[in-house]
């Protein structure tokens, strides 16, 4: 139950974020043993999947992604999240 409450708090926090570089959580629901999170659609998939597949090849793309990550960290830091 503690972990569930912590997860729900984190989901609600993520729903409130308005950073354009963070995937938006639309809603969540649960059944007896699972929580389902409805997020916005990303055609290219997650950043982790793209890295694992070797899809990120150019230095220009890496620079762009790193700048997005810095902006995400700044956004979270400004809200005292991290």
């Amino acid at each position: 139950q503690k972990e569930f409450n912590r997860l729900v708090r984190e989901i609600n926090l993520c729903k409130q974020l308005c950073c354009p570089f963070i995937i938006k959580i639309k809603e969540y629901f649960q059944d007896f043993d699972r929580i389902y999170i409805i997020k916005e659609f990303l055609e290219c998939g997650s950043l982790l999947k793209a890295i694992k597949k070797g899809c990120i090849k150019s230095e220009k793309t890496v620079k762009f992604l790193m700048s997005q990550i810095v902006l995400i960290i700044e956004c979270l830091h400004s809200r005292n999240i991290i």
Side-chain angles (χ1 to χ4, degrees):
Q1 186 65 28
K2 261 187 184 179
E3 286 188 31
F4 172 77
N5 291 336
R6 186 174 54 90
L7 181 59
V8 169
R9 279 195 311 270
E10 188 170 332
I11 290 169
N12 287 326
L13 179 67
C14 289
K15 284 175 67 174
Q16 295 173 9
L17 293 175
C18 57
C19 180
F21 303 115
I22 297 176
I23 298 170
K24 293 182 181 31
I25 294 177
K26 302 295 186 179
E27 197 54 64
Y28 74 94
F29 59 96
Q30 70 183 77
D31 61 14
F32 294 107
D33 60 341
R34 295 181 185 189
I35 294 178
Y36 301 89
I37 301 172
I38 300 171
K39 302 183 291 182
E40 67 183 340
F41 176 74
L42 293 177
E43 186 174 333
C44 59
S46 72
L47 177 59
L48 182 59
K49 284 183 184 177
I51 291 170
K52 285 182 177 180
K53 289 181 180 178
C55 298
I56 301 169
K57 297 181 180 182
S58 74
E59 185 176 334
K60 183 178 179 179
T61 302
V62 172
K63 285 181 183 179
F64 176 72
L65 293 172
M66 290 304 296
S67 66
Q68 286 183 329
I69 291 169
V70 168
L71 291 173
I72 290 168
I73 293 170
E74 286 179 354
C75 173
L76 295 174
H77 184 68
S78 71
R79 298 173 185 270
N80 294 322
I81 296 171
I82 57 170

